[in-house]
Amino acid sequence: MTYLPVENVNTATFRPAAFLIKADTMDKIITKEQIRDAAETAYTHASAIKGGANANYIPYLANINPDLFGLSVVLPDGTHIDYGDTDYRFGIESVSKVPTAILVMRQQSPEAILQKIGADATGLPFNSIFAILLENDHPSTPLVNAGAISACSMVAPTGNSNEKWKAITDNITELCGSAPELIDELYKSESDTNFNNRAITWLLKNYNRIYDDPDMSLDLYTRQCSLGITCSQLGIMAATIANGGLNPVTGKQVYDQRISPKITTLIATVGFYQHSGDWLYTSGIPAKSGVGGGVLGVLPGVLGIAAFAPPLDTAGNSVKAQAAILHFMQTLGLGIMNGQRVIIK
Ligand code: GLN
């Protein structure tokens, strides 16, 4: 193959760089069977991993069976690979920050998220008040508690709790291809104990970062965290994001494909809070956790993955879910930074 010297490039002959890459060196071809095998061995490997503890600051979560464990992989053609407890409904918790950030991008724009909340990692725990003070009033990112409460305040229509709630749940339904269900007991448990989040909300109000009624915004955030979701549903949500907003199971284009790189960037930078860098460095996949034990991972253009197991590490990330996703990625040699075009046959 000959390459044009730069000075000879003109509009008639210019081809974007992708056309000049030699296909044989940059393509990675994997089969569905290899993906299925990697998921199965990852599930078996992680099943034996002990350690971690259920979240105990929300009473409902402390009592969930710690042995539950599921792993789902969803491909852009809709192929669904499930192992273990993938139909068990658990609290979505902070994974809900992902769909609501997408919703605000859909209703307003990715730019509005940047201007009104931010897109920076905090490097601090998910419920940090210090992070708000350090950032000089900024909630940093919609994927920590402060930014997520702020995002709930941005959901349209302003001032209408019922309609906002409908927008939040409809969006999740579109991303998953089926509806989440509120876990009433979890909602009550969280509402009775969310004192730290009340402090965050009013601190943000003080800095003009709550764009609707503060109590309503906090309630919407608490309620969305209390939604019951299955591992299988999260796998589809992850695949929809990986697939440029096209839900591979329903075939519906849920949102403008330009939103996918924005939400995936947020997930990559802060999805595991203060462990986000270590996680991305090790696993090669942007992933978002919740204290209910769920983790959603997005490999753009390739696949979505989700895992669920209640025991958490000290940052609030599921120990088994991390082990399973890491094992899966390493077995297949995949990684967002690999610079390869992945072709699934
Ligand atoms: N509802 C939880 C909280 O606000 C969510 C935290 C999480 O999943 N990391 O503390």
Side-chain angles (χ1 to χ4, degrees):
M1 183 181 286
T2 50
Y3 295 89
L4 286 170
V6 172
E7 61 271 23
N8 285 352
V9 173
N10 60 41
T11 47
T13 56
F14 177 75
R15 293 286 180 277
F19 290 92
L20 299 176
I21 290 170
K22 287 177 73 193
D24 55 343
T25 55
M26 296 308 287
D27 285 355
K28 180 179 179 75
I29 298 168
I30 47 177
T31 65
K32 275 191 207 168
E33 258 335 288
Q34 286 173 312
I35 294 175
R36 203 176 290 280
D37 288 350
E40 188 176 353
T41 52
Y43 178 77
T44 309
H45 161 81
S47 295
I49 303 244
K50 302 274 175 247
N54 286 27
N56 61 5
Y57 74 104
I58 299 171
Y60 174 92
L61 297 178
N63 297 322
I64 302 293
N65 176 1
D67 295 326
L68 288 163
F69 177 37
L71 177 66
S72 295
V73 178
V74 181
L75 306 182
D77 69 355
T79 301
H80 208 132
I81 301 163
D82 280 338
Y83 288 99
D85 302 309
T86 51
D87 290 332
Y88 178 85
R89 255 179 215 284
F90 57 92
I92 187 172
E93 297 296 344
S94 282
V95 184
S96 68
K97 292 165 178 166
V98 170
T100 298
I102 290 173
L103 175 62
V104 175
M105 292 187 207
R106 289 176 73 180
Q107 291 184 332
Q108 299 188 31
S109 63
E111 188 61 21
I113 287 278
L114 187 63
Q115 296 306 328
K116 294 188 163 179
I117 298 176
D120 261 339
T122 59
L124 288 166
F126 58 82
N127 53 4
S128 177
I129 286 175
F130 198 41
I132 304 169
L133 301 172
L134 274 178
E135 278 282 328
N136 222 348
D137 93 358
H138 213 260
S140 293
T141 162
L143 301 195
V144 297
N145 290 18
I149 297 166
S150 194
C152 285
S153 79
M154 288 172 73
V155 170
T158 307
N160 188 330
S161 176
N162 287 345
E163 286 298 310
K164 283 169 81 113
W165 178 244
K166 182 170 168 6
I168 288 170
T169 51
D170 282 354
N171 178 55
I172 295 175
T173 302
E174 286 184 305
L175 291 167
C176 297
S178 60
E181 281 170 25
L182 188 69
I183 304 173
D184 292 312
E185 204 186 328
L186 176 56
Y187 177 39
K188 183 170 182 341
S189 190
E190 291 216 37
S191 301
D192 288 347
T193 54
N194 63 353
F195 308 113
N196 191 80
N197 287 338
R198 291 184 214 177
I200 287 174
T201 306
W202 286 98
L203 185 58
L204 289 176
K205 171 68 181 166
N206 181 57
Y207 290 129
N208 296 319
R209 294 291 182 177
I210 295 289
Y211 306 98
D212 203 337
D213 178 79
D215 287 328
M216 183 206 292
S217 306
L218 173 62
D219 175 58
L220 287 166
Y221 167 75
T222 309
R223 236 190 300 171
Q224 74 172 22
C225 286
S226 308
L227 282 169
I229 200 99
T230 68
C231 186
S232 176
Q233 285 179 302
L234 277 191
I236 298 171
M237 186 190 295
T240 302
I241 298 169
N243 207 21
L246 175 67
N247 184 321
V249 173
T250 63
K252 185 176 174 194
Q253 185 71 43
V254 179
Y255 59 71
D256 184 320
Q257 64 178 24
R258 286 171 295 188
I259 288 175
S260 270
K262 301 302 182 198
I263 190 66
T264 309
T265 300
L266 296 176
I267 295 171
T269 48
V270 78
F272 274 22
Y273 311 111
Q274 65 272 41
H275 290 175
S276 300
D278 284 355
W279 167 256
L280 190 58
Y281 189 90
T282 314
S283 69
I285 184 167
K288 179 76 206 84
S289 61
V291 292
V295 173
L296 160 158
V298 177
L299 200 56
V302 183
L303 54 82
I305 186 166
F308 155 67
L312 312 174
D313 67 13
T314 50
N317 305 320
S318 168
V319 172
K320 263 186 195 159
Q322 288 181 75
I325 296 173
L326 179 60
H327 196 278
F328 175 83
M329 293 296 292
Q330 290 180 337
T331 303
L332 292 172
L334 295 171
I336 191 173
M337 302 296 184
N338 291 4
Q340 289 170 316
R341 187 174 64 157
V342 178
I343 298 164
I344 300 173
K345 287 216 166 134

